Coordinates of all heavy atoms in Angstrom, one line a residue:
M1333 N 55.2 35.1 19.8 CA 53.8 34.8 19.7 C 53.4 34.3 21.2 O 54.0 33.6 21.8 CB 53.6 33.6 18.7 CG 52.2 33.3 18.5 SD 51.8 32.1 17.2 CE 53.2 31.9 16.2
R1334 N 52.2 34.8 21.6 CA 51.7 34.4 22.9 C 50.3 33.9 22.8 O 49.5 34.3 21.9 CB 51.7 35.6 23.9 CG 50.6 36.7 23.6 CD 50.6 37.7 24.7 NE 49.7 38.8 24.4 CZ 48.4 38.8 24.8 NH1 48.0 37.8 25.6 NH2 47.6 39.7 24.4
V1335 N 50.0 32.9 23.6 CA 48.7 32.3 23.7 C 47.8 33.2 24.4 O 48.1 33.6 25.5 CB 48.7 30.9 24.3 CG1 47.3 30.3 24.5 CG2 49.6 29.9 23.5
V1336 N 46.7 33.6 23.8 CA 45.7 34.5 24.4 C 44.7 33.7 25.1 O 44.3 34.0 26.2 CB 45.0 35.4 23.3 CG1 43.9 36.2 23.9 CG2 46.0 36.3 22.6
R1337 N 44.2 32.6 24.4 CA 43.2 31.8 25.0 C 43.1 30.4 24.3 O 43.5 30.3 23.2 CB 41.9 32.5 24.8 CG 40.7 31.9 25.5 CD 39.8 33.0 26.2 NE 38.8 32.3 26.9 CZ 37.5 32.7 26.8 NH1 37.1 33.7 26.1 NH2 36.6 32.0 27.5
E1338 N 42.6 29.4 25.1 CA 42.3 28.1 24.5 C 40.9 27.7 24.8 O 40.4 28.0 25.9 CB 43.3 27.0 25.1 CG 44.7 27.1 24.6 CD 45.5 26.0 25.1 OE1 45.4 25.6 26.3 OE2 46.3 25.4 24.3
F1339 N 40.3 27.1 23.8 CA 38.9 26.6 24.0 C 38.9 25.1 23.8 O 39.3 24.6 22.7 CB 37.9 27.2 23.0 CG 37.8 28.7 23.1 CD1 38.6 29.6 22.4 CD2 36.9 29.3 24.0 CE1 38.5 30.9 22.5 CE2 36.8 30.7 24.1 CZ 37.6 31.5 23.3
L1340 N 38.6 24.3 24.8 CA 38.6 22.9 24.7 C 37.2 22.3 24.7 O 37.0 21.1 24.5 CB 39.4 22.3 25.9 CG 40.9 22.8 25.9 CD1 41.6 22.2 27.2 CD2 41.7 22.4 24.7
D1341 N 36.2 23.2 24.8 CA 34.8 22.7 24.9 C 34.1 22.9 23.6 O 32.9 22.9 23.5 CB 34.1 23.5 26.0 CG 34.1 25.0 25.8 OD1 34.9 25.5 25.0 OD2 33.2 25.7 26.3
K1342 N 34.8 23.1 22.5 CA 34.3 23.4 21.2 C 34.4 22.0 20.4 O 35.0 21.1 20.8 CB 35.0 24.5 20.4 CG 35.1 25.8 21.2 CD 33.7 26.4 21.4 CE 33.8 27.8 22.0 NZ 32.5 28.3 22.4
P1343 N 33.8 22.0 19.2 CA 33.9 20.8 18.4 C 35.3 20.4 18.0 O 35.5 19.2 17.6 CB 33.0 21.1 17.1 CG 32.2 22.2 17.5 CD 32.9 23.0 18.6
C1344 N 36.2 21.3 18.0 CA 37.6 21.0 17.8 C 38.4 21.9 18.7 O 37.9 22.8 19.3 CB 38.0 21.3 16.3 SG 37.6 23.0 15.8
K1345 N 39.7 21.6 18.9 CA 40.5 22.4 19.8 C 40.8 23.8 19.1 O 41.1 23.8 17.9 CB 41.9 21.7 20.0 CG 42.8 22.5 20.9 CD 44.1 21.8 21.2 CE 45.0 22.7 22.1 NZ 46.3 22.2 22.2
V1346 N 40.6 24.8 19.9 CA 40.8 26.2 19.4 C 41.9 26.9 20.3 O 41.7 26.9 21.5 CB 39.5 27.0 19.4 CG1 39.8 28.4 18.9 CG2 38.4 26.3 18.6
T1347 N 42.9 27.4 19.6 CA 43.9 28.2 20.3 C 44.0 29.5 19.6 O 44.1 29.6 18.4 CB 45.3 27.5 20.3 OG1 45.2 26.1 20.7 CG2 46.3 28.2 21.2
V1348 N 44.0 30.6 20.5 CA 44.1 31.9 19.9 C 45.4 32.5 20.4 O 45.7 32.5 21.6 CB 42.9 32.8 20.4 CG1 43.0 34.2 19.9 CG2 41.6 32.2 20.1
F1349 N 46.2 33.0 19.4 CA 47.5 33.6 19.6 C 47.4 35.0 19.3 O 46.6 35.5 18.5 CB 48.5 32.9 18.7 CG 48.7 31.5 18.9 CD1 48.0 30.6 18.1 CD2 49.6 31.0 19.8 CE1 48.2 29.2 18.2 CE2 49.7 29.6 20.0 CZ 49.0 28.7 19.2
S1350 N 48.3 35.8 19.8 CA 48.5 37.2 19.4 C 49.9 37.3 18.9 O 50.9 36.9 19.6 CB 48.3 38.1 20.6 OG 48.6 39.5 20.3
W1351 N 50.0 37.8 17.7 CA 51.3 37.9 17.1 C 51.3 39.0 16.0 O 50.5 39.0 15.1 CB 51.7 36.5 16.5 CG 53.1 36.5 15.9 CD1 54.3 36.6 16.5 CD2 53.4 36.4 14.5 NE1 55.3 36.6 15.7 CE2 54.8 36.4 14.4 CE3 52.7 36.3 13.4 CZ2 55.5 36.4 13.2 CZ3 53.3 36.2 12.1 CH2 54.7 36.3 12.0
N1352 N 52.3 39.9 16.0 CA 52.5 40.8 15.0 C 51.3 41.6 14.6 O 51.0 41.8 13.4 CB 53.1 40.1 13.7 CG 53.9 41.0 12.9 OD1 54.4 42.1 13.3 ND2 54.1 40.6 11.6
G1353 N 50.5 42.0 15.6 CA 49.3 42.9 15.4 C 48.1 42.1 14.9 O 47.1 42.7 14.4
K1354 N 48.1 40.8 15.0 CA 47.0 39.9 14.6 C 46.7 38.9 15.6 O 47.5 38.5 16.4 CB 47.4 39.1 13.3 CG 47.6 40.0 12.1 CD 47.9 39.1 10.9 CE 48.1 40.0 9.6 NZ 49.3 40.7 9.6
Y1355 N 45.4 38.5 15.6 CA 45.0 37.3 16.4 C 45.0 36.2 15.4 O 44.5 36.2 14.3 CB 43.6 37.5 16.9 CG 43.4 38.5 18.0 CD1 42.7 39.6 17.8 CD2 44.1 38.4 19.2 CE1 42.6 40.6 18.8 CE2 44.0 39.3 20.2 CZ 43.2 40.4 20.0 OH 43.1 41.4 21.0
I1356 N 45.7 35.1 15.8 CA 45.7 33.9 15.0 C 44.9 32.9 15.7 O 45.1 32.5 16.8 CB 47.2 33.4 14.8 CG1 48.0 34.5 14.1 CG2 47.2 32.1 14.0 CD1 49.5 34.2 14.1
I1357 N 43.8 32.5 15.0 CA 42.8 31.5 15.5 C 43.1 30.2 14.9 O 42.9 30.0 13.7 CB 41.4 32.0 15.3 CG1 41.2 33.4 15.9 CG2 40.4 31.0 15.8 CD1 39.9 34.1 15.4
K1358 N 43.6 29.2 15.6 CA 44.0 27.9 15.1 C 43.1 26.9 15.6 O 42.8 26.7 16.8 CB 45.5 27.6 15.6 CG 46.0 26.3 15.0 CD 47.4 26.1 15.3 CE 47.7 25.0 16.3 NZ 49.1 24.7 16.4
L1359 N 42.5 26.2 14.6 CA 41.6 25.1 14.9 C 42.3 23.8 14.6 O 43.0 23.6 13.6 CB 40.3 25.1 14.0 CG 39.6 26.4 13.9 CD1 38.4 26.3 13.0 CD2 39.1 26.9 15.3
E1360 N 42.2 22.8 15.5 CA 42.8 21.5 15.3 C 41.8 20.4 15.5 O 41.0 20.4 16.4 CB 44.0 21.3 16.3 CG 45.1 22.3 16.2 CD 46.1 22.1 17.3 OE1 46.9 21.2 17.2 OE2 46.1 22.9 18.3
H1361 N 41.8 19.4 14.5 CA 40.9 18.3 14.6 C 41.6 17.1 14.0 O 41.9 17.1 12.8 CB 39.6 18.6 13.8 CG 38.6 17.5 13.9 ND1 37.9 17.3 15.1 CD2 38.1 16.7 13.0 CE1 37.1 16.3 14.9 NE2 37.1 15.9 13.6
G1362 N 42.0 16.1 14.8 CA 42.7 15.0 14.3 C 44.1 15.5 13.7 O 44.7 16.3 14.4
P1363 N 44.5 15.0 12.5 CA 45.8 15.4 12.0 C 45.7 16.7 11.2 O 46.7 17.1 10.6 CB 46.1 14.2 11.1 CG 44.8 13.8 10.6 CD 43.8 13.9 11.8
F1364 N 44.6 17.4 11.3 CA 44.4 18.6 10.4 C 44.3 19.9 11.3 O 43.9 19.8 12.4 CB 43.2 18.5 9.6 CG 43.2 17.2 8.7 CD1 42.3 16.2 9.0 CD2 44.0 17.1 7.7 CE1 42.3 15.0 8.2 CE2 44.1 15.9 6.9 CZ 43.2 14.9 7.2
E1365 N 44.7 21.0 10.7 CA 44.5 22.3 11.3 C 44.1 23.3 10.3 O 44.5 23.2 9.1 CB 45.7 22.7 12.1 CG 47.0 22.9 11.4 CD 48.1 23.3 12.3 OE1 48.4 22.6 13.3 OE2 48.8 24.3 12.0
Q1366 N 43.4 24.3 10.8 CA 43.0 25.5 10.0 C 43.4 26.7 10.8 O 43.3 26.7 12.0 CB 41.5 25.6 9.8 CG 40.9 24.4 9.1 CD 39.4 24.4 9.0 OE1 38.8 25.5 8.7 NE2 38.7 23.3 9.2
T1367 N 43.8 27.7 10.1 CA 44.3 29.0 10.7 C 43.6 30.2 10.1 O 43.6 30.3 8.9 CB 45.8 29.1 10.6 OG1 46.5 27.9 11.2 CG2 46.3 30.3 11.4
F1368 N 43.1 31.1 11.0 CA 42.5 32.3 10.6 C 43.3 33.4 11.2 O 43.6 33.4 12.4 CB 41.1 32.3 11.0 CG 40.2 31.2 10.4 CD1 40.2 30.0 11.1 CD2 39.5 31.4 9.3 CE1 39.4 29.0 10.6 CE2 38.7 30.4 8.8 CZ 38.7 29.2 9.4
K1369 N 43.5 34.5 10.4 CA 44.2 35.7 11.0 C 43.3 36.9 10.9 O 42.7 37.1 9.9 CB 45.5 36.0 10.1 CG 46.5 34.9 10.2 CD 47.7 35.2 9.4 CE 48.7 34.1 9.4 NZ 49.9 34.4 8.5
V1370 N 43.2 37.5 12.1 CA 42.3 38.7 12.2 C 43.1 39.8 12.8 O 43.8 39.6 13.8 CB 41.1 38.4 13.1 CG1 40.2 39.6 13.2 CG2 40.3 37.2 12.6
S1371 N 43.1 41.0 12.2 CA 43.8 42.1 12.7 C 43.3 42.5 14.1 O 42.1 42.5 14.4 CB 43.6 43.3 11.8 OG 44.2 44.5 12.4
E1372 N 44.2 42.8 15.0 CA 43.8 43.3 16.3 C 43.1 44.6 16.3 O 42.4 45.0 17.2 CB 45.1 43.4 17.2 CG 45.7 42.0 17.6 CD 46.9 42.1 18.4 OE1 47.4 43.2 18.7 OE2 47.4 41.1 18.9
F1373 N 43.2 45.3 15.2 CA 42.4 46.6 15.0 C 41.0 46.3 14.6 O 40.1 47.2 14.8 CB 43.1 47.4 13.9 CG 44.5 47.9 14.3 CD1 45.6 47.4 13.6 CD2 44.7 48.8 15.4 CE1 46.9 47.9 14.0 CE2 45.9 49.2 15.7 CZ 47.0 48.7 15.0
D1374 N 40.7 45.1 14.1 CA 39.3 44.8 13.7 C 38.5 44.1 14.7 O 37.3 44.0 14.6 CB 39.4 43.8 12.4 CG 39.9 44.5 11.2 OD1 39.9 45.7 11.1 OD2 40.4 43.8 10.3
M1375 N 39.1 43.6 15.8 CA 38.4 42.9 16.8 C 39.1 43.0 18.1 O 40.3 43.0 18.2 CB 38.4 41.4 16.4 CG 37.7 40.5 17.3 SD 37.6 38.8 16.7 CE 36.2 39.1 15.6
L1376 N 38.3 43.2 19.2 CA 38.9 43.2 20.5 C 39.0 41.7 21.0 O 38.3 40.8 20.6 CB 38.0 43.9 21.5 CG 37.7 45.4 21.2 CD1 36.7 45.9 22.2 CD2 39.0 46.2 21.4
E1377 N 40.0 41.5 21.9 CA 40.2 40.2 22.4 C 38.9 39.6 23.0 O 38.7 38.4 22.9 CB 41.3 40.2 23.5 CG 41.7 38.9 24.1 CD 42.9 39.0 25.0 OE1 43.8 39.8 24.9 OE2 42.8 38.3 26.0
E1378 N 38.1 40.4 23.7 CA 36.9 39.9 24.3 C 35.8 39.5 23.2 O 34.9 38.8 23.6 CB 36.3 41.0 25.2 CG 37.1 41.5 26.3 CD 38.2 42.5 25.9 OE1 38.0 43.2 25.0 OE2 39.3 42.4 26.5
E1379 N 36.0 39.9 22.0 CA 35.0 39.6 20.9 C 35.3 38.3 20.2 O 34.5 37.8 19.4 CB 35.0 40.7 19.9 CG 34.5 42.1 20.5 CD 34.6 43.2 19.4 OE1 35.7 43.3 18.8 OE2 33.6 43.9 19.3
I1380 N 36.5 37.7 20.5 CA 36.9 36.5 19.7 C 35.9 35.4 19.9 O 35.5 34.7 19.0 CB 38.3 36.1 20.1 CG1 39.3 37.1 19.6 CG2 38.6 34.7 19.5 CD1 40.7 37.0 20.1
E1381 N 35.5 35.1 21.2 CA 34.6 34.0 21.4 C 33.3 34.2 20.7 O 32.7 33.2 20.2 CB 34.3 33.9 22.9 CG 33.6 32.6 23.2 CD 33.5 32.2 24.7 OE1 34.0 33.1 25.5 OE2 33.1 31.1 25.1
G1382 N 32.8 35.4 20.5 CA 31.6 35.6 19.7 C 31.7 35.2 18.3 O 30.7 34.8 17.6
L1383 N 32.9 35.3 17.7 CA 33.2 34.8 16.4 C 33.0 33.3 16.2 O 32.6 32.8 15.2 CB 34.6 35.2 16.0 CG 35.1 34.8 14.6 CD1 34.5 35.7 13.5 CD2 36.6 35.0 14.5
L1384 N 33.3 32.6 17.3 CA 33.3 31.1 17.3 C 31.9 30.6 17.6 O 31.6 30.0 18.6 CB 34.2 30.6 18.4 CG 35.7 31.1 18.3 CD1 36.5 30.6 19.4 CD2 36.3 30.8 16.9
N1385 N 31.0 30.8 16.6 CA 29.6 30.4 16.8 C 29.3 29.1 16.0 O 30.2 28.6 15.4 CB 28.6 31.6 16.3 CG 28.8 32.0 14.9 OD1 29.2 31.1 14.0 ND2 28.6 33.2 14.6
D1386 N 28.0 28.7 16.1 CA 27.7 27.4 15.4 C 28.0 27.4 13.9 O 28.5 26.4 13.4 CB 26.2 27.1 15.7 CG 25.9 26.7 17.1 OD1 26.9 26.3 17.8 OD2 24.8 26.8 17.5
D1387 N 27.6 28.5 13.2 CA 27.9 28.6 11.8 C 29.4 28.5 11.5 O 29.8 27.8 10.6 CB 27.3 29.9 11.2 CG 25.8 29.9 11.2 OD1 25.2 28.8 11.1 OD2 25.3 31.0 11.1
F1388 N 30.2 29.1 12.3 CA 31.6 29.1 12.1 C 32.1 27.7 12.2 O 32.9 27.2 11.4 CB 32.3 30.0 13.1 CG 33.8 30.1 13.0 CD1 34.4 30.9 12.1 CD2 34.6 29.2 13.8 CE1 35.8 31.0 12.0 CE2 36.0 29.3 13.7 CZ 36.6 30.2 12.8
F1389 N 31.7 27.0 13.3 CA 32.2 25.6 13.5 C 31.6 24.6 12.5 O 32.3 23.7 12.1 CB 31.9 25.1 14.9 CG 32.9 25.7 15.9 CD1 32.6 26.6 16.8 CD2 34.2 25.3 15.8 CE1 33.5 27.2 17.7 CE2 35.2 25.8 16.7 CZ 34.8 26.7 17.6
N1390 N 30.3 24.8 12.0 CA 29.8 23.9 11.0 C 30.6 24.0 9.7 O 31.0 23.0 9.1 CB 28.3 24.3 10.7 CG 27.4 23.9 11.8 OD1 27.7 22.9 12.5 ND2 26.2 24.5 11.9
D1391 N 31.0 25.2 9.3 CA 31.8 25.4 8.1 C 33.2 24.8 8.3 O 33.7 24.1 7.5 CB 32.0 26.9 7.8 CG 30.7 27.5 7.3 OD1 29.8 26.8 6.9 OD2 30.6 28.8 7.3
A1392 N 33.8 25.0 9.5 CA 35.1 24.5 9.8 C 35.1 23.0 9.8 O 36.0 22.3 9.2 CB 35.6 25.0 11.1
M1393 N 34.1 22.4 10.4 CA 34.1 20.9 10.5 C 33.9 20.3 9.1 O 34.4 19.3 8.7 CB 33.0 20.4 11.4 CG 33.2 20.9 12.9 SD 34.9 20.5 13.5 CE 34.8 18.8 13.7
N1394 N 33.1 21.0 8.2 CA 32.9 20.6 6.8 C 34.3 20.7 6.1 O 34.6 19.8 5.3 CB 31.9 21.4 6.1 CG 30.5 21.1 6.5 OD1 30.2 19.9 7.0 ND2 29.6 22.0 6.4
R1395 N 35.1 21.7 6.4 CA 36.4 21.8 5.7 C 37.3 20.7 6.2 O 38.1 20.1 5.5 CB 37.0 23.2 6.0 CG 36.6 24.2 5.0 CD 37.4 25.5 5.2 NE 37.2 26.1 6.5 CZ 36.2 26.9 6.8 NH1 35.3 27.2 5.9 NH2 36.2 27.5 8.0
F1396 N 37.2 20.3 7.5 CA 38.0 19.2 8.0 C 37.7 17.9 7.3 O 38.5 17.2 7.0 CB 37.9 19.1 9.6 CG 38.7 20.0 10.4 CD1 38.1 20.8 11.4 CD2 40.1 20.2 10.2 CE1 38.8 21.6 12.2 CE2 40.8 21.0 11.0 CZ 40.2 21.8 12.0
D1397 N 36.4 17.7 7.1 CA 35.9 16.5 6.4 C 36.5 16.5 5.0 O 37.0 15.5 4.5 CB 34.4 16.4 6.4 CG 33.8 16.1 7.7 OD1 34.5 15.6 8.6 OD2 32.6 16.4 7.9
A1398 N 36.4 17.7 4.3 CA 37.0 17.8 2.9 C 38.5 17.6 2.9 O 39.0 16.9 2.0 CB 36.6 19.1 2.3
M1399 N 39.2 18.1 3.9 CA 40.6 17.9 4.0 C 40.9 16.4 4.1 O 41.8 15.9 3.5 CB 41.2 18.6 5.2 CG 41.1 20.1 5.0 SD 41.5 21.0 6.6 CE 43.3 20.8 6.7
G1400 N 40.1 15.7 5.0 CA 40.3 14.2 5.1 C 40.1 13.5 3.8 O 40.9 12.6 3.5
R1401 N 39.1 13.9 3.1 CA 38.8 13.2 1.8 C 39.9 13.5 0.8 O 40.3 12.6 0.1 CB 37.4 13.7 1.2 CG 36.2 13.1 1.9 CD 34.9 13.4 1.2 NE 34.7 14.8 1.0 CZ 34.1 15.6 1.9 NH1 33.7 15.1 3.1 NH2 33.9 16.9 1.6
S1402 N 40.4 14.7 0.8 CA 41.5 15.1 -0.1 C 42.7 14.3 0.2 O 43.4 13.8 -0.8 CB 41.8 16.6 0.0 OG 40.7 17.3 -0.5
L1403 N 43.1 14.1 1.4 CA 44.3 13.4 1.8 C 44.1 11.9 1.4 O 45.0 11.3 0.8 CB 44.6 13.5 3.3 CG 45.8 12.8 3.8 CD1 47.1 13.2 3.1 CD2 45.9 12.9 5.3
K1404 N 42.9 11.4 1.7 CA 42.6 10.0 1.4 C 42.7 9.7 -0.1 O 43.4 8.8 -0.5 CB 41.3 9.6 1.9 CG 40.9 8.1 1.6 CD 39.5 7.8 2.2 CE 39.2 6.4 1.8 NZ 37.8 6.0 2.2
N1405 N 42.2 10.6 -0.9 CA 42.2 10.5 -2.4 C 43.7 10.6 -2.9 O 44.1 9.8 -3.8 CB 41.4 11.6 -3.0 CG 39.9 11.3 -2.8 OD1 39.5 10.2 -2.5 ND2 39.1 12.4 -3.0
A1406 N 44.4 11.5 -2.3 CA 45.9 11.6 -2.7 C 46.7 10.4 -2.3 O 47.5 10.0 -3.1 CB 46.4 12.9 -2.1
L1407 N 46.4 9.8 -1.2 CA 47.1 8.6 -0.8 C 46.8 7.4 -1.6 O 47.6 6.5 -1.8 CB 46.9 8.4 0.7 CG 47.5 9.4 1.7 CD1 47.0 9.1 3.1 CD2 49.0 9.4 1.6
N1408 N 45.5 7.4 -2.1 CA 45.1 6.2 -2.9 C 45.3 6.4 -4.4 O 45.0 5.5 -5.1 CB 43.6 6.0 -2.6 CG 43.3 5.5 -1.2 OD1 44.1 4.9 -0.6 ND2 42.1 5.9 -0.7
A1409 N 45.8 7.6 -4.8 CA 46.1 7.8 -6.2 C 47.3 7.1 -6.7 O 48.1 6.7 -6.1 CB 46.2 9.3 -6.5

């Protein structure tokens, strides 16, 4: 697996890897991470940044919030 690109100027840390014919887009925020896999046949490396738009990050940040609530609820159960 090789690192293709890192974005540190986004709402969360984004690392893009290339592995086994796929781009793996990993988002990290606090103790949580989300991973998306996209075939290298479906997208060029230069197109990845265009995928990372405001709607994408709004949805991702909402999922991070939901993940935090889920963990908090599980720990308090």
Side-chain angles (χ1 to χ4, degrees):
M1333 188 172 345
R1334 73 176 176 92
V1335 174
V1336 173
R1337 189 139 182 225
E1338 286 186 318
F1339 298 93
L1340 303 174
D1341 61 337
K1342 304 295 185 189
C1344 57
K1345 181 181 177 190
V1346 180
T1347 308
V1348 180
F1349 301 93
S1350 177
W1351 182 70
N1352 205 20
K1354 294 182 178 72
Y1355 292 115
I1356 299 170
I1357 303 167
K1358 183 168 111 173
L1359 311 179
E1360 298 176 78
H1361 185 68
F1364 305 111
E1365 62 182 51
Q1366 299 176 43
T1367 305
F1368 300 85
K1369 296 179 183 177
V1370 180
S1371 173
E1372 290 180 353
F1373 296 111
D1374 293 338
M1375 177 174 283
L1376 297 173
E1377 185 177 323
E1378 299 81 31
E1379 297 174 311
I1380 293 172
E1381 189 168 7
L1383 177 73
L1384 306 175
N1385 59 33
D1386 289 340
D1387 290 336
F1388 181 86
F1389 281 111
N1390 286 336
D1391 290 344
M1393 298 310 289
N1394 287 335
R1395 274 191 297 277
F1396 279 128
D1397 290 341
M1399 292 167 76
R1401 286 190 303 274
S1402 293
L1403 179 59
K1404 182 179 176 184
N1405 290 339
L1407 293 172
N1408 291 331

